[in-house]
Amino acid sequence: MKKVSFCGISGSGMSSLAQVLRLSGYEVCGSDRNFDLGRDLENKKALESLGIKIFPQDGSAINKNLDFLCASTAVEDTIPDVKAAKEKGVKILTRPELLAQIFNKYKYGVAVGGTSGKTTSTAMVGYILDKAGKNPCVINGGLLRNYEGRKGIPNIIYNKGDICVVEADESNGSIDLYNPYIALINNISLDHKSLEELCVLFQNFANRTKKAVVVNDDYDLCAKIKHQNLIRFSLKNPQADFYAHNIIPLSDGTQYELRGKPFKLPLIGEFNVANALASIATCEQLGVEPFEAAKILETFAGTKRRLEVLGKKNNITVIDDFAHNPDKVTASIKALRNYDGRLIVMFQPHGFGPMRQVGKEIMENFAKYLNDEDLLIMPEIFFVGGTVTRDISSADLINHAKASGHEKSFFVADKRAAEELILREAKAGDRIVIMGARDNSLTDLGKEILKKC
């Protein structure tokens, strides 16, 4: 039996791989500094329920009998597990390297790429294939609400078939590692890399794809992708292979029309209709008839932290959202604008590098799509450690939001101060949106605010 340890095992990307290997017959252990600090304990319990042994992050998980250590790209070489692996000659793989090794062994690999929408589209493709009896293995970065209640963390669907569906991340260039049977490119827009770099990455991604490339025809840069079997989807172009129109916001989702038939998606936002089209188009390439796929999506519950309603109290709704780049922020705010109620948005940016790259554009998008009465509240940039240049602050970004025309923009010292301001300001009819990535405590913050409303 192969033995492997994971350093940073609680993260959504790492925990999904750990679970897949465990269910495949590996002996799996791991560590996470969050566990050592008393955080993410539900994840710890869920992993242990599958027989994954959790160690303190002090190097004790590492021994010479390990086949390899998988280390999150978020951990540093100074972490005791990584140091111990190097000292004992244990092979170290990054998460993208391990994911690519697993993915590339499958006969039918579906790699979902794009600067936005990867997690939801991966979940949709996996859900359709699972419900259609195609027995996929799905390795996702988000928690799948349809699969809550199963043993383990619900960020995978594990079947012993010949289809594997994964998110292919472009932000660190690891998309170059995947050789798909089918590639989905949801969009190409500014995020962690320049548009020039992204266009090269995605064209190379398409070049390595065997059967078909599914692209979003509503993005100019996607429309430029070349492949011998290009499948286009669109909300704007009736000539696209998959076109949705008559899109109507509903109180509990969105209605749309596909090839003359109406369907209901239990998620809000036009961007989710685009995700649905992308997933329907992708699954057709694996033998699922489009109307069947659209019908299956009528019971798709979504993924955690994607405009997820945590609850409602005293006519105040609290929403949890993962939006963190310009496209995602715009899509979320535009979707919320289709419904009544003032917005109180607490946005916690992550990463000093990303904020230098896209922070001003995010602020400009907030200023463009928030109403004058809406509030934007920002604590300091989320930082998990390491050596980075900390030459930008949320205070700078808030100043840019104000300069861009949104006066009710406030910088606060931390999340606790943000909570206090939100609770002082919130009134009946408001929608409080806790927005940001990477910080697992944001959901807990939203739940705490809901309790106190």
Side-chain angles (χ1 to χ4, degrees), residues 13 15-26 98-112 121-141 144 147 150 153-168 178 182 282-283 286:
S15 60
S16 58
L17 288 175
Q19 292 179 106
V20 165
L21 289 191
R22 179 71 190 107
L23 293 168
S24 302
Y26 282 62
L98 177 56
L99 177 58
Q101 283 187 16
I102 294 169
F103 175 78
N104 289 334
K105 288 177 183 176
Y106 277 81
K107 184 176 181 181
Y108 304 112
V110 180
V112 179
S121 296
T122 302
M124 285 180 170
V125 170
Y127 184 67
I128 293 168
L129 294 173
D130 192 36
K131 292 300 177 184
K134 299 293 184 179
N135 298 319
C137 174
V138 182
I139 304 172
N140 208 342
L144 311 172
Y147 297 87
R150 288 188 177 185
I153 299 171
N155 52 7
I156 63 167
I157 304 171
Y158 185 75
N159 292 296
K160 292 184 177 179
D162 54 9
I163 298 172
C164 184
V165 185
V166 304
E167 290 186 54
Y178 307 104
I182 298 166
T282 299
C283 291
L286 292 166

Side-chain angles (χ1 to χ4, degrees), residues 225-391:
I225 293 291
K226 293 179 174 58
H227 191 267
Q228 65 271 19
N229 185 16
L230 208 60
I231 313 295
R232 300 180 185 276
F233 66 94
S234 175
L235 303 184
K236 298 176 182 176
N237 179 12
Q239 305 307 313
D241 301 289
F242 288 81
Y243 169 63
H245 61 118
N246 290 342
I247 299 170
I248 303 169
L250 305 173
S251 61
D252 56 349
T254 311
Q255 183 175 298
Y256 66 99
E257 193 171 311
L258 171 65
R259 296 178 181 175
K261 285 193 72 171
F263 293 94
K264 179 188 170 186
L265 190 66
L267 306 175
I268 70 168
E270 287 192 359
F271 69 97
N272 274 318
V273 176
N275 289 336
L277 278 187
S279 305
I280 292 164
T282 299
C283 291
E284 185 188 41
Q285 297 298 307
L286 292 166
V288 183
E289 195 273 329
F291 286 168
E292 180 190 358
K295 194 68 182 171
I296 288 170
L297 286 179
E298 292 194 333
T299 57
F300 177 70
T303 54
K304 302 286 281 183
R305 299 216 65 234
R306 270 65 179 181
L307 288 178
E308 180 189 2
V309 175
L310 296 179
K312 191 171 185 177
K313 187 177 176 186
N314 293 325
N315 200 28
I316 298 171
T317 305
V318 180
I319 297 164
D320 194 17
D321 191 50
F322 191 74
H324 60 278
N325 68 24
D327 255 20
K328 289 184 172 80
V329 165
T330 298
S332 290
I333 299 300
K334 285 176 73 175
L336 291 164
R337 279 271 71 90
N338 286 320
Y339 302 88
D340 292 336
R342 181 177 69 152
L343 293 173
I344 300 177
V345 179
M346 191 215 84
F347 175 66
Q348 179 178 262
H350 79 273
F352 292 91
M355 285 309 104
R356 280 192 295 274
Q357 175 98 338
V358 297
K360 287 187 175 181
E361 187 178 348
I362 291 172
M363 294 304 103
E364 287 160 9
N365 289 357
F366 274 127
K368 182 176 180 180
Y369 292 105
L370 290 174
N371 288 346
D372 289 343
E373 68 270 19
D374 295 334
L375 272 63
L376 174 63
I377 300 167
M378 287 175 57
E380 192 50 273
I381 295 169
F382 181 61
F383 177 62
V384 292
T387 54
V388 294
T389 304
R390 302 172 69 174
D391 59 352

